[in-house]
């Protein structure tokens, strides 16, 4: 056995260092350039200004910019090739024909929303050594090589509540939030809203309405509007996507209520740069900035410190350029959303980013933990009878099925998941990055470390002899 060990030792002194050198060169070559794909959302808007697509594309280009990958700043890769993919429509079928076929030629792929979720999982299942990410959708349970990227939805509602409270102080003290489907992702916004109102205006009354849908429903929207008019509400926050926008358009023009949009800058996207009636009553929007989110996620990939099977959250930051959740510019409502209130909001954002102000909302359930025995921070107004009467199905119409499901079919939780595969969906670092290599780059990091360790063993004669005896004993 000893003779066998010595033979292994002598031979290895000649050929193993050469093999290790070859392996290291190959690893460095593979790690030189990373190919990343951003899957945009389908639909007629393309990359129009203010849309999620436009912001996401800007963020991806910033992350992958030439000369932006110096090793002294921690970048593992020296260069980046960006591919953008645009499905023919915003349907699951369009994504199914696009994402899996492009997975092979990219090291990392990122998509947004519910519709691409099944296609992303199909691609991930077929390429276990690569990393994928999806924004605004959470796989539950997680998928090993997919990162779920989420906005802190409770902060979205909280920021809207703080602003609504400040404005309502001198306008009757009554505010409201319109939610879509009563489920965790929406409850996080609704209860965040109520918590924010309490901080800004303790004497104000906050109401909440769950529409049971995110889609346009004129009859239901009119009923919700009547309830809010009855309560003499002065400021309304939209947490119901298309349904909320329709209701806000009615309330701003018919009653003169003030609205707070969400997702995009609604003054630009839904009030068409002020050309739609009621635009002067849009205070601002709580904007979810895809440029910040996509840039940050892709930079994490380039640094090899993003890992699959996790959920990463993005929220407010005092620096607007780094904040994934922010207030859109004030356009026509400066007489109401005054400079003084804008200054206060900056202070609130800073306190939120430092953890001095917290929403008190449970992520899993979306319920409030600051409301004593009540799980909600707002007084809920019921539309149950009206929903039944209008024939709206709160299960099938739900564009945000935030429930646990089997990931074998790509389902999880999402802010805008639809009732059918072909139904069109609306577009709508305080994150918790984990410094663990991603699936796509882990092989690079692990092999480099492993070869370095083994190389050091074999270049030490004493250590290599001991190692050789162990190998001989084994064989």
């Amino acid at each position: 056995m000893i003779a066998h060990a010595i033979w292994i030792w002598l031979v290895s002194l000649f050929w193993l260092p050469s093999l290790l050198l070859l392996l290291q060169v190959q690893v460095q070559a593979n790690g030189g350039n990373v190919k990343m794909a951003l899957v945009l959302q389908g639909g007629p808007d393309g990359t129009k200004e203010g849309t999620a697509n436009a912001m996401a594309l800007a963020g991806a280009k910033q992350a992958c910019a030439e000369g932006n990958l110096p090793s002294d700043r921690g970048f593992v890769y020296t260069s980046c090739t960006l591919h953008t993919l645009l499905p023919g429509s915003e349907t699951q079928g369009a994504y199914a024909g696009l994402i899996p076929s492009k997975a092979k030629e990219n090291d990392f792929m990122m998509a947004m929303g519910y519709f691409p979720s099944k296609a992303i999982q199909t691609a991930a299942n077929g390429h276990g050594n690569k990393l994928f990410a999806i924004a605004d959708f959470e796989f539950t349970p997680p998928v090993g090589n997919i990162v779920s990227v989420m906005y802190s939805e409770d902060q979205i509602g909280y920021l809207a509540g703080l602003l609504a409270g400040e404005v309502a102080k001198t306008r009757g003290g009554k505010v409201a939030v319109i939610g879509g489907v009563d489920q965790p992702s929406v409850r996080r916004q609704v209860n965040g809203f109520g918590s924010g109102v309490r901080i800004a205006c303790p004497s104000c009354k906050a109401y909440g309405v769950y529409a049971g849908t995110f889609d346009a429903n004129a009859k239901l929207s009119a009923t919700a509007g009547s309830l809010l008019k009855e309560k003499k509400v002065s400021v309304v926050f939209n947490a119901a996507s298309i349904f909320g926008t329709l209701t806000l358009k009615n309330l701003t023009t018919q009653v003169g209520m003030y609205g707070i949009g969400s997702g995009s800058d609604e003054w630009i996207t839904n009030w068409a740069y002020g050309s739609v009636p009621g635009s002067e009553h849009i205070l601002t929007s709580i904007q979810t900035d895809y440029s910040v989110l996509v840039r940050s996620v892709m930079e994490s990939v380039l640094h090899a410190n993003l890992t699959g099977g996790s959920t990463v959250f993005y929220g407010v930051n005092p620096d607007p350029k780094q904040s994934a959740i922010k207030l859109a510019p004030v356009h026509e409502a400066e007489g109401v959303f005054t400079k003084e209130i804008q200054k206060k909001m900056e202070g609130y954002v800073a306190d939120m980013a430092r953890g001095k102000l917290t929403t008190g909302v449970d992520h899993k359930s979306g319920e409030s933990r600051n409301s004593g025995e009540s799980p909600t921070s707002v007084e809920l107004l019921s539309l149950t009878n009206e929903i039944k009467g209008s024939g709206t199905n709160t299960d099938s119409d739900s564009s945000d099925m935030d429930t646990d499901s089997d990931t074998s079919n790509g389902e999880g939780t999402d802010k805008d998941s639809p009732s059918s595969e072909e139904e069109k969906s609306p577009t709508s670092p305080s994150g918790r990055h984990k410094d663990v290599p991603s699936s796509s780059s882990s092989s690079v990091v692990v092999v480099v470390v492993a070869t370095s360790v083994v190389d050091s063993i074999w270049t030490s004669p004493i250590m290599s002899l001991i190692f050789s005896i162990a190998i001989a004993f084994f064989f």
Side-chain angles (χ1 to χ4, degrees):
M1 183 180 74
I2 297 298
H4 190 194
I6 292 172
W7 179 82
I8 292 173
W9 174 51
L10 290 172
V11 172
S12 66
L13 288 176
F14 293 96
W15 63 265
L16 189 58
S18 299
L19 178 62
L20 290 171
L21 179 62
L22 180 64
L23 184 58
Q24 286 174 330
V25 169
Q26 183 62 42
V27 167
Q28 288 170 1
N30 286 342
N33 179 268
V34 59
K35 297 175 183 177
M36 301 203 289
L38 174 66
V39 186
L40 300 173
Q41 294 178 327
D45 289 338
T47 55
K48 285 182 182 176
E49 183 185 355
T51 62
N53 277 354
M55 290 186 283
L57 186 56
K61 287 180 177 178
Q62 288 168 12
C64 220
E66 229 179 351
N68 193 36
L69 311 176
S71 59
D72 61 356
R73 283 177 50 196
F75 286 100
V76 170
Y77 297 98
T78 57
S79 63
C80 173
T81 301
L82 177 65
H83 298 140
T84 55
L85 307 175
L86 182 64
S89 62
E90 187 66 353
T91 62
Q92 287 187 340
Y95 286 106
L98 179 66
I99 293 175
S101 65
K102 296 293 183 180
K104 187 177 180 180
E105 61 195 65
N106 290 285
D107 301 305
F108 171 76
M109 295 186 80
M110 182 173 185
M112 301 179 289
Y114 166 81
F115 285 103
S117 60
K118 290 185 180 180
I120 279 283
Q121 185 164 14
T122 298
N125 289 342
H127 299 83
N129 64 328
K130 295 187 176 185
L131 184 67
F132 299 81
I134 188 162
D136 267 351
F137 185 92
E138 185 175 17
F139 280 99
T140 53
V143 179
N145 59 332
I146 300 178
V147 182
S148 297
V149 185
M150 301 287 288
Y151 291 104
S152 297
E153 291 149 327
D154 54 330
Q155 290 190 352
I156 294 172
Y158 194 72
L159 204 53
L162 289 167
L163 174 57
E166 288 293 340
V167 171
K169 281 178 181 178
T170 57
R171 285 174 173 76
K174 294 182 178 180
V175 299
V177 53
I178 303 171
V181 179
D182 183 3
Q183 58 193 25
S185 61
V186 182
R187 286 199 291 271
R188 288 193 280 271
Q189 292 190 59
V190 170
N191 287 316
F193 178 83
S195 296
V197 172
R198 252 180 222 170
I199 294 297
C201 181
S203 62
C204 285
K205 184 74 174 178
Y207 297 101
V209 173
Y210 287 108
T213 181
F214 293 95
D215 297 324
N217 183 315
K219 183 178 179 182
L220 199 57
S221 177
T223 303
S226 295
L227 275 176
L228 299 183
K229 281 187 277 185
E230 221 175 84
K231 297 294 183 181
K232 297 183 179 178
V233 166
S234 59
V235 183
V236 182
F237 170 53
N238 172 20
S241 195
I242 292 175
F243 179 87
T245 298
L246 173 62
T247 308
L248 277 187
K249 284 183 174 179
N250 292 334
L251 291 172
T252 54
T253 54
Q254 296 170 11
V255 192
M257 284 188 197
Y258 289 96
I260 302 172
S262 65
S264 63
D265 182 345
E266 290 205 56
W267 185 87
I268 291 176
T269 57
N270 292 324
W271 271 264
Y273 293 90
S275 64
V276 174
S279 63
E280 70 278 10
H281 285 90
I282 300 302
L283 298 172
T284 183
S285 296
I286 311 301
Q287 198 170 5
T288 44
D289 193 338
Y290 280 93
S291 66
V292 173
L293 186 147
V294 171
R295 182 187 71 226
S296 182
V297 169
M298 287 192 169
E299 284 182 346
S300 293
V301 173
L302 295 169
H303 283 91
N305 66 356
L306 193 68
T307 186
S310 62
T311 299
V312 182
F313 294 91
Y314 287 83
V316 299
N317 187 300
D319 180 0
K321 292 181 180 178
Q322 304 299 327
S323 190
I325 297 172
K326 63 185 69 173
L327 292 166
V330 184
H331 297 288
E332 298 178 74
E334 283 193 336
V336 179
F337 189 179
T338 61
K339 296 289 185 185
E340 182 186 353
I341 295 178
Q342 290 175 43
K343 194 72 177 173
K344 277 191 175 181
M345 293 304 297
E346 288 174 10
Y348 285 140
V349 167
D351 286 344
M352 288 171 68
R354 287 198 300 262
K356 188 176 176 181
L357 283 179
T358 57
T359 67
V361 175
D362 177 68
H363 174 74
K364 186 174 182 180
S365 67
E367 295 179 349
S368 173
R369 294 175 297 201
N370 291 342
S371 306
E373 295 180 2
S374 172
T376 181
S377 62
V378 298
E379 182 180 319
L380 292 176
L381 306 175
S382 177
L383 288 177
T384 305
N385 293 333
E386 286 76 7
I387 291 174
K388 288 179 180 177
S390 65
T392 303
N393 187 324
T394 59
D395 293 323
S396 64
D397 241 359
S398 161
S399 52
D400 180 13
M401 298 308 294
D402 200 344
T403 55
D404 290 349
S405 58
D406 183 358
T407 56
S408 64
N409 61 11
E411 293 176 357
T413 66
D414 167 48
K415 187 172 64 176
D416 289 310
S417 59
S419 59
S420 72
E421 291 192 2
E422 303 305 314
E423 183 181 348
K424 185 175 178 181
S425 172
T427 302
S428 327
S430 62
R432 290 183 262 179
H433 284 291
K434 297 181 181 179
D435 295 329
V436 181
S438 69
S439 300
S440 60
S441 57
S442 60
S443 57
V444 175
V445 177
V446 171
V447 172
V448 169
V449 172
T451 53
S452 298
V453 171
V454 176
D455 199 13
S456 66
I457 290 173
W458 285 101
T459 52
S460 168
I462 295 174
M463 287 302 296
S464 64
L465 179 58
I466 294 171
F467 200 58
S468 297
I469 291 171
I471 293 175
F473 180 79
F474 223 22
F475 291 97

